[in-house]
Amino acid sequence: MSTPIRVRYAPSPTGHLHIGGARTALFDYLLARKNGGQFVVRFEDTDQTRHVESGVQNQLDGLSWLGLNWDESVDVGGPYAPYRQMERLDLYRPFIDQLLQDKNAYPCYCSEQEIEQEREEQEARGETPQYSGKCRHLTDEQKAQLEADGRKPSIRFHVPKDKIISFTDKVREEVEFETNGIGDFIIVRPDGIPTYNFAVVLDDHLMRISLVIRGEEHLTNTPRQIMLYEALQLPLPEFAHLSLILNPDRKKMSKRDESIIQFVQQYNELGYLPEAVVNFIALLGWSPVGEEEMFTLEELVEQFDLDRVSKSPAVFDMDKLNWMNNHYLKKAPLEQVAGLAIPHLQKAGLVAAEPTEEQLRWATELVGLYQEQLRYAAEIVDLSELFFREQLVFDEEASALLAEEHVPAVLQSFLKQVENAADLEPGNVQKLLKNVQAETGYKGKQLFMSIRVALTGQMHGRDLNMTIHLLGRDKVLARLSSLL
């Protein structure tokens, strides 16, 4: 019986869950669940200059919101704990010693200034910058002298020359690198903390990770890591490098790009549904069998396969995400959508922070009026602004309609109907409009458009009966009287 698949999502705790990281985590999760394996979340925090204290919890919160529950991590523990690199430093030491003993690594005493000068000289000669290896053959006496001078060494891996590093990638198929293009690289900094390429190899090995899924930007790290596996005589995991996610202009997405929303927390805050975001992210570089595009998480688990992950870059289409989220919002219970939307009305000062039962019912009905239209819950503020205006503003088209000769008669009749009405429940509003039709003889556009424009300032909108009901008697009378 084969060993169950073990995959890991291993972010640096530098902030919130990015959409690219979310895709990697999702693909990890889907494969683990489909194959009865384990999904591990660990944190690569050796770069303390970029460490954000809340970063770990932010990442976990983002994954949790998406519904990607993990089997092992900092919060639930697991057989290969700890799950933060800075808590694993003692585990790395024997491997460092082994590389030094086997002459596969050596201490390097070069300062940053010396490395930079060497790089500039190589570039001036038209060479590809890489470390020259000048500390590779230092004698014990030379090392002792340098240390006596106060120099603390880093440790570099000795890259073999004239070797081809090849591997079969689960997405990109056959990949090759020449070692001559890779200089001896640092695996342990002078402060004793391992670099990414070294620590990730040891963590993946010690945690029994069988498949490494990550972004294409890590492809050039892979030959370095394979050399470390081979030097330490460790079995290789499989690799799958996902294509880039491009912005709508088909350019590489940067975290400063404001054309798209890039962090999962932002989608949560704006009132997107996690199932819509998961569905959308799954299609960034993966294509299902057939034409269907709407999938639950359970259906994605059943369908997902790395064989259908594309080598070509995925384009982040914000319009498609909004269309997809609208699809999910339309099918969601009103109470759920209202729960997402009303806080945005409260934040805008349009609904009381602690509404009465009546105010809450009104706000829920307001959300219901726009539920079919909402792309995300925060849009309720802009969509419903007509209900909160002190004064309406009429554009040229609306003003022209209100200037037509039949309008005063229609509005006068409707004003009188509202004044005498018992209430403005939607069913009763419908009766009032029929009374206006009977009294004035106007119907269709002349009737309904006149009243809509007079009360909302808009030529088109949601259900008129419900709109009038939600405006309420006082506002309806005030707007009609103002126009007349």
Side-chain angles (χ1 to χ4, degrees):
M1 183 177 175
S2 62
T3 305
I5 187 173
R6 283 181 61 81
V7 291
R8 50 69 164 180
Y9 171 58
S12 298
T14 56
H16 293 288
L17 177 58
H18 187 264
I19 210 77
R23 179 183 66 168
T24 299
L26 174 61
F27 287 7
D28 278 323
Y29 173 88
L30 296 176
L31 279 176
R33 294 295 171 261
K34 182 174 184 177
N35 295 284
Q38 289 85 44
F39 172 44
V40 179
V41 178
R42 71 164 190 256
F43 293 91
E44 297 177 349
D45 60 349
T46 56
D47 187 351
Q48 291 290 289
T49 61
R50 300 173 63 229
H51 180 77
V52 176
E53 192 54 42
S54 61
V56 169
Q57 194 58 50
N58 289 340
Q59 291 282 329
L60 294 177
D61 287 346
L63 294 174
S64 181
W65 182 72
L66 291 171
L68 309 183
N69 55 301
W70 48 91
D71 301 299
E72 301 169 30
S73 191
V74 293
D75 57 340
V76 296
Y80 304 103
Y83 292 91
R84 294 176 73 143
Q85 285 180 338
M86 288 301 289
E87 297 174 4
R88 298 173 62 81
L89 298 182
D90 289 344
L91 298 174
Y92 305 142
R93 190 70 240 179
F95 297 94
I96 299 169
D97 294 341
Q98 181 183 337
L99 289 172
L100 289 169
Q101 182 179 326
D102 295 343
K103 306 299 184 187
N104 286 316
Y106 58 90
C108 172
Y109 296 87
C110 296
S111 66
E112 288 185 19
Q113 291 79 8
E114 289 168 334
I115 298 294
E116 183 59 35
Q117 183 180 345
E118 186 175 84
R119 183 182 292 114
E120 289 172 359
E121 290 170 356
Q122 290 171 333
E123 288 176 342
R125 295 193 298 267
E127 300 171 2
T128 302
Q130 59 177 260
Y131 181 64
S132 65
K134 62 184 179 181
C135 286
R136 196 182 297 156
H137 304 296
L138 292 175
T139 65
D140 289 342
E141 290 76 14
Q142 288 171 316
K143 293 175 188 175
Q145 182 59 54
L146 288 164
E147 289 183 18
D149 293 341
R151 295 211 181 194
K152 287 189 175 180
S154 58
I155 297 176
R156 286 186 183 270
F157 180 75
H158 186 173
V159 175
K161 295 299 178 188
D162 304 318
K163 186 176 178 181
I164 300 295
I165 304 295
S166 62
F167 64 98
T168 302
D169 189 272
K170 300 284 283 183
V171 173
R172 316 195 72 78
E173 299 174 348
E174 298 306 314
V175 182
E176 286 188 352
F177 290 91
E178 292 185 2
T179 59
N180 290 350
I182 305 170
D184 293 355
F185 55 93
I186 294 174
I187 58 172
V188 182
R189 301 186 189 94
D191 60 7
I193 296 177
T195 60
Y196 163 76
N197 275 317
F198 186 48
V200 74
V201 165
L202 301 181
D203 288 341
D204 285 340
H205 167 68
L206 293 171
M207 292 184 181
R208 305 292 188 264
I209 300 301
S210 57
L211 171 62
V212 174
I213 303 175
R214 56 192 179 194
E216 184 183 277
E217 65 273 16
H218 285 288
L219 193 61
T220 54
N221 287 322
T222 308
R224 292 171 171 81
Q225 293 168 18
I226 289 175
M227 285 188 281
L228 286 164
Y229 277 108
E230 291 176 346
L232 292 164
Q233 299 179 20
L234 305 177
L236 280 175
E238 292 187 291
F239 294 97
H241 289 87
L242 308 177
S243 63
L244 296 173
I245 300 175
L246 305 180
N247 69 14
D249 296 327
R250 296 183 176 271
K251 294 179 181 175
K252 185 178 177 180
M253 192 164 61
S254 77
K255 291 185 178 179
R256 292 181 297 277
D257 188 345
E258 296 183 358
S259 63
I260 54 179
I261 301 165
Q262 297 198 37
F263 295 94
V264 167
Q265 183 197 29
Q266 292 172 288
Y267 290 103
N268 185 2
E269 291 171 350
L270 286 168
Y272 284 79
L273 290 173
E275 51 266 44
V277 177
V278 164
N279 196 156
F280 175 77
I281 292 173
L283 300 176
L284 288 174
W286 172 75
S287 56
V289 176
E291 300 299 317
E292 181 58 50
E293 288 191 305
M294 297 297 181
F295 299 99
T296 64
L297 190 55
E298 292 74 21
E299 289 166 341
L300 287 170
V301 167
E302 187 178 329
Q303 281 231 23
F304 186 78
D305 196 316
L306 281 175
D307 291 343
R308 299 191 65 83
V309 173
S310 174
K311 298 179 195 175
S312 303
V315 178
F316 195 103
D317 185 344
M318 200 72 205
D319 290 336
K320 182 172 182 177
L321 173 56
N322 285 334
W323 167 81
M324 191 169 276
N325 197 60
N326 170 255
H327 171 86
Y328 279 89
L329 283 171
K330 285 191 289 190
K331 290 178 173 290
L334 173 57
E335 292 72 21
Q336 182 184 5
V337 181
L340 294 172
I342 290 173
H344 292 282
L345 293 170
Q346 292 171 314
K347 185 178 178 181
L350 304 175
V351 170
E354 297 183 12
T356 63
E357 190 174 325
E358 184 180 345
Q359 288 170 330
L360 190 58
R361 183 171 59 251
W362 181 87
T364 301
E365 289 180 345
L366 181 69
V367 173
L369 182 64
Y370 289 100
Q371 183 171 353
E372 290 278 319
Q373 209 174 332
L374 284 173
R375 297 179 303 167
Y376 52 92
E379 272 196 321
I380 190 64
V381 175
D382 289 336
L383 289 174
S384 65
E385 55 86 29
L386 71 91
F387 288 90
F388 305 100
R389 285 183 185 174
E390 288 300 318
Q391 287 188 316
L392 294 180
V393 177
F394 302 99
D395 62 18
E396 188 175 334
E397 187 180 13
S399 297
L401 183 138
L402 292 175
E404 292 179 15
E405 61 179 355
H406 67 277
V407 171
V410 169
L411 298 187
Q412 286 280 10
S413 176
F414 189 60
L415 175 65
K416 186 171 60 177
Q417 292 292 329
V418 172
E419 286 175 335
N420 296 326
D423 60 64
L424 290 185
E425 290 298 318
N428 199 30
V429 170
Q430 188 174 7
K431 294 175 184 175
L432 303 183
L433 292 172
K434 286 184 178 179
N435 293 342
V436 173
Q437 179 180 334
E439 182 178 315
T440 63
Y442 294 114
K443 60 184 179 179
K445 178 181 175 181
Q446 288 183 314
L447 171 62
F448 300 113
M449 189 79 82
S450 302
I451 292 173
R452 180 182 295 282
V453 171
L455 294 179
T456 69
Q458 300 175 356
M459 300 288 289
H460 307 282
R462 307 303 295 166
D463 179 81
L464 183 58
N465 297 338
M466 180 59 80
T467 299
I468 292 170
H469 161 67
L470 289 170
L471 279 169
R473 179 194 297 271
D474 291 346
K475 197 159 281 188
V476 168
L477 292 176
R479 291 183 179 182
L480 290 173
S481 300
S482 175
L483 267 178
L484 291 168

